[in-house]
Amino acid sequence: MNWPLVRLAVAGLRAHAVRLLLTAFAVVVGVGFLAGTLVYGDTARAAFYDDLARSARNVDVVVEPAETLVSAETVDRIRAVDGVAEVDGRVIAWLGLLDRDGRLLTQQGHVGYGLSVPGVASLAPYDVTAGRLPTVPGEVAVDKTTVAATGYALGASVSLLDQAGTPHRLTLVGVLDLGVNRLFGGSPVAALTGPDLASLTGTERYAQVVVRARPDVDPEVLADRVARVTGDPRLAVLTGDRLRDQLAEQAGKYVDGFLAVLIGFGVVSLTVSAFVIYNTFAILAAQRVRELSLLRCVGASRRQVGVAVLLEAVTLGVLASLGGLAMSLLVGYGLIWGRELVATDIPLHAPVVRWPTVAVALGFGTVVTVLAALVPALGAGRVPPLAALHGSATAELRDATGRRGRVRVLVAVGLAGAGLLAIMVGVPLAFPGLPLVLGGGMVVFLGAVVAAPLLVPRAVGVLGWLPARLFGPVARLAVVNARRNPRRAAATTMALTVGVALMSMFAVLLETARDQTGRELTENFPVDFVLDRTRIDGTPGATRGELPAELAGVLRAEPAFATVAEVRLAPAPVDRQVRVWSVPPEQLRGPVRPEVTDGDLADLRPGTVAVSRPVAQARGLGVGDRFALGLPGVPDPAGALTVVALYDDAPTGGAALVEWGQFTAAYGPGAPNQLLLDLAPGVGTADGRQALDRVLRTFPVVRVSSVADQANALSATLDELLGIFAALLGMSVLIALFGISNTLSLSVFERTRESATLRALGLSRRQLGRMLLAEAGLIALVGALAGIVLGVGVGWTAALGLIHSYGHGLPVVPVAQLVLCVALAGGAALLAGLLPARRATRTPIVAAMSVEG
């Protein structure tokens, strides 16, 4: 160990501790955010695992059917296996539950579940938080989330639907806590006695059988015995530990997706930190020219001087990384507390810090710091000994001019060209080409970073021209100072540019997604409401049943609705993915009539068909072609129908429209599968929904879809995503603001004598402060505007490629959001510059004049 160099590095850190403080903060924030995401992931997984133990507690072996349910006879055979202490069969079936207004409760279009009351208390998959479990028919216990949402209280009458959709009233006697069991996906869950569950769901067979082993029996051995007894390859037999691991893995996937996004943003934050570190060490190296040259005079070699600076960076990186590791606990636990924003249903848990998190925090923070300080360290080693004899103790690293400037231009142009080429290749590929487009955008960003020392001073001059003319000498001095050191200004500016560019890119993509989805909703759902029957029979692959025959007549009697069209859908085909539909001819008008792209629906008669555009493209059909649909009673291919029209944006899921008489001849008149409702003129959506809800109280199995509901849900989702991305990218913007404040602080120290001279020549304290704040504002404004230009360019290009393949129109640029971003960046930069400006204005003129530099 070269102790003199180590002592020199420590002395350098102590001498410049205040100047390095903000740099350390930048590393702390970057490392804290990156390591905090790992703490969040580990803590969330541990929380899931612990909470999932509730559905698998005391379970040593579990039998789960893959295709069929388990019979009572199989359970009896398992009970007789040597080593089995207790066995319980769990019945799990679809079950509809109504709220207090008689509306069916669903979660993402799915009805709830009915569970059996456990036959063995120790093997219960849930806890009872209030009341008790049902003991006699007519009683029910409901999960706590549903009870809280509906306002049910113990002793209340709860309505449940049988398979036919008929409501049955039961008394609420208990409240269940299911933990984070992902099987139910947040749907309502009710526990009932065996007789009630059998009568409502029509099943007495078991979806899961759990076994508890005797204390002296190994679960692996018992699982083998149970598997031999069942003798059915369709029944999976697992140990309890494997079941818990499996459930935790499934729940962990819910964490991993968002965790990957968080890590990506953590890397962005560290990248921005690298700009700040580089800039700090470059300025310090320039300010320490005399100090470093004196070291050379007393015998230090280039290598020793460079190593001393790198040792300072290593020490700073380690100390700041330790601070970041401490901060990661707050970040990770904060993400768990804010789980409603990042991932719902994650239970609270003590923070978990594993050794990979510690290694990542210390390793990434230190490595990024050293790499960022490498170029300034090499520059420090090249300081000539004679520089100690110069009168100035400061010197800026050589500007990007001459041959170096030309090389910089060539590299920047090459990177920008490669990025644009990747974008051009990716755009025609639509969604599969999105990684190419975004990757190309990142390469263009890199090209901009390389060219920044040439571009930033010119951009400062352009943006500062008008303020310099309007606000006189103070503004002109701010412009000159911001342009004085191109590489310094570029590194400071690009730190902010990266964060703002990514924020702008996501804003364009999300706003375009909002606009495009709104267009598609309006075009594909031109009616106000679509009604169909909710599946409550536990058969997801089955066709949705028919609606009550009298419902259409009841709705027509309501003055709120101008159109009530009855859509009939043929049973789902087994060998063809083409759904046949039809409506009575007098109802095929207005918003119900699909948008025709070729041909004429007036030609629709027996023996003809209108086909949706996607089906026509997939099968190469055009007007006049023959299309064999396989209608009952119509022999193929002699009975193939003639295509008379192609349509797009139909208000129903059918893909082949046939004439009403031909449809009823093939499938019978029956009742409608869907009702399409359009409001009467002057009736608002809210009033129409109230009228619809009044009618549907007597038809609880009817599901309502509306454009307004879907648009509101979409808007809320996109706003949430934008808020999350803005918050995450705000970390990198915060680090960039540390960089602006740090650069300005170091610049103020470097220009102490210069500032004193300006004061001596008549510049007031207030004017000096304004000059420094204007300098910070100009740097922030250039960085923010450059980020918006880059981000909007990449976001626009990526969105345009997706629109050309999946929609129509042009990308949307959220101007108001971008203007707000610039304003916030400028305001935050002014705040970051307040402390350095205050320090400069409070230094006495005589004391400042005595400082060398």
Side-chain angles (χ1 to χ4, degrees), residues 245-564:
D245 289 341
Q246 197 175 72
L247 291 173
E249 287 170 7
Q250 293 172 357
K253 293 176 182 177
Y254 194 67
V255 178
D256 290 343
F258 192 76
L259 184 61
V261 175
L262 289 175
I263 290 174
F265 284 107
V267 172
V268 170
S269 297
L270 274 181
T271 302
V272 175
S273 299
F275 282 109
V276 176
I277 297 164
Y278 165 81
N279 212 20
T280 301
F281 275 90
I283 297 171
L284 286 177
Q287 292 178 350
R288 296 164 62 190
V289 166
R290 173 167 289 185
E291 171 190 329
L292 298 175
S293 61
L294 284 173
L295 289 174
R296 295 292 310 283
C297 285
V298 297
S301 67
R302 285 187 176 186
R303 177 177 173 275
Q304 288 175 319
V305 171
V307 169
V309 175
L310 281 180
L311 283 175
E312 291 181 17
V314 170
T315 307
L316 178 69
V318 171
L319 293 176
S321 297
L322 288 172
L325 184 62
M327 181 182 173
S328 70
L329 297 177
L330 298 176
V331 173
Y333 208 53
L335 289 169
I336 295 292
W337 271 102
R339 58 198 183 280
E340 289 81 7
L341 291 177
V342 299
T344 56
D345 298 334
I346 299 176
L348 288 177
H349 191 281
V352 176
V353 181
R354 298 168 59 241
W355 70 263
T357 301
V358 177
V360 166
L362 296 179
F364 266 79
T366 305
V367 168
V368 167
T369 303
V370 172
L371 290 178
L374 187 59
V375 172
L378 293 175
R382 290 196 294 266
V383 173
L386 291 178
L389 302 178
H390 294 173
S392 175
T394 64
E396 176 66 16
L397 295 175
R398 190 158 39 162
D399 194 5
T401 57
R403 187 175 64 85
R404 288 190 178 186
R406 289 192 292 272
V407 171
R408 186 179 292 275
V409 170
L410 291 175
V411 173
V413 170
L415 289 171
L420 291 174
L421 180 62
I423 291 173
M424 292 173 63
V425 172
V427 166
L429 300 178
F431 192 79
L434 194 56
L436 266 178
V437 174
L438 296 180
M442 297 303 107
V443 176
V444 173
F445 285 4
L446 186 58
V449 170
V450 174
L454 302 175
L455 299 178
V456 169
R458 291 170 172 80
V460 170
V462 171
L463 290 177
W465 179 84
L466 184 59
R469 295 298 182 277
L470 294 178
F471 302 111
V474 172
R476 286 198 293 273
L477 284 171
V479 173
V480 171
N481 287 332
R483 299 182 63 187
R484 178 182 295 177
N485 300 314
R487 294 174 67 176
R488 179 186 307 183
T492 307
T493 301
M494 294 312 294
L496 184 61
T497 297
V498 171
V500 174
L502 291 172
M503 197 177 294
S504 304
M505 182 180 70
F506 284 118
V508 171
L509 288 173
L510 291 176
E511 196 64 28
T512 302
R514 189 199 310 272
D515 177 73
Q516 287 294 307
T517 309
R519 287 172 183 258
E520 291 298 314
L521 284 174
T522 303
E523 293 170 355
N524 285 286
F525 297 94
V527 294
D528 292 296
F529 300 103
V530 177
L531 275 56
D532 61 7
R533 185 184 178 94
T534 303
R535 282 197 299 259
I536 57 173
D537 57 359
T539 53
T543 304
R544 292 189 185 274
E546 296 177 341
L547 291 167
E550 66 275 19
L551 178 58
V554 175
L555 290 171
R556 286 196 181 95
E558 281 286 337
F561 304 110
T563 300
V564 180

Side-chain angles (χ1 to χ4, degrees), residues 158 183 288 734:
V158 178
L183 171 65
R288 296 164 62 190
L734 175 64

Side-chain angles (χ1 to χ4, degrees), residues 52-250:
L52 283 165
R54 146 179 8 205
S55 63
R57 61 189 164 193
N58 300 324
V59 174
D60 295 310
V61 177
V62 62
V63 179
E64 292 186 323
E67 300 175 5
T68 182
L69 298 178
V70 181
S71 65
E73 292 78 10
T74 302
V75 175
D76 291 337
R77 291 201 303 272
I78 295 172
R79 185 174 287 110
V81 171
D82 182 31
V84 172
E86 293 174 311
V87 176
D88 190 27
R90 296 174 177 175
V91 179
I92 304 174
W94 285 18
L95 183 65
L97 188 149
L98 306 183
D99 66 10
R100 294 194 298 178
D101 293 325
R103 292 173 298 194
L104 183 63
L105 295 171
T106 59
Q107 176 70 17
Q108 296 181 348
H110 197 294
V111 296
Y113 292 88
L115 307 182
S116 57
V117 174
V120 180
S122 61
L123 293 175
Y126 42 72
D127 293 328
V128 179
T129 59
R132 58 177 175 82
L133 289 174
T135 55
V136 297
E139 295 180 339
V140 65
V142 179
D143 70 281
K144 64 178 183 180
T145 303
T146 302
V147 169
T150 57
Y152 281 125
L154 291 177
S157 182
V158 178
S159 294
L160 302 172
L161 299 180
D162 61 18
Q163 286 185 292
T166 304
H168 298 261
R169 302 183 75 81
L170 289 82
T171 302
L172 180 66
V173 298
V175 180
L176 308 177
D177 184 358
L178 301 169
V180 290
N181 197 320
R182 309 305 301 170
L183 171 65
F184 307 121
S187 298
V189 176
L192 303 91
T193 61
D196 279 341
L197 198 57
S199 65
L200 291 174
T201 65
T203 181
E204 296 179 341
R205 296 168 70 87
Y206 304 107
Q208 192 178 64
V209 179
V210 291
V211 180
R212 186 175 185 179
R214 290 202 305 260
D216 59 338
V217 178
D218 183 77
E220 294 283 355
V221 175
L222 185 58
D224 291 338
R225 294 174 184 173
V226 171
R228 286 195 297 270
V229 167
T230 59
D232 190 341
R234 297 174 298 177
L235 299 180
V237 181
L238 308 171
T239 64
D241 287 340
R242 179 58 191 143
L243 172 64
R244 283 182 281 274
D245 289 341
Q246 197 175 72
L247 291 173
E249 287 170 7
Q250 293 172 357

Side-chain angles (χ1 to χ4, degrees), residues 503-504 507-509 511-512 722 785 788 792 796 811-824:
M503 197 177 294
S504 304
V508 171
L509 288 173
E511 196 64 28
T512 302
L722 187 59
L785 290 177
I788 285 175
V792 169
W796 174 284
V812 178
V813 178
V815 177
Q817 294 177 20
L818 300 181
V819 170
L820 179 62
C821 183
V822 173
L824 290 176

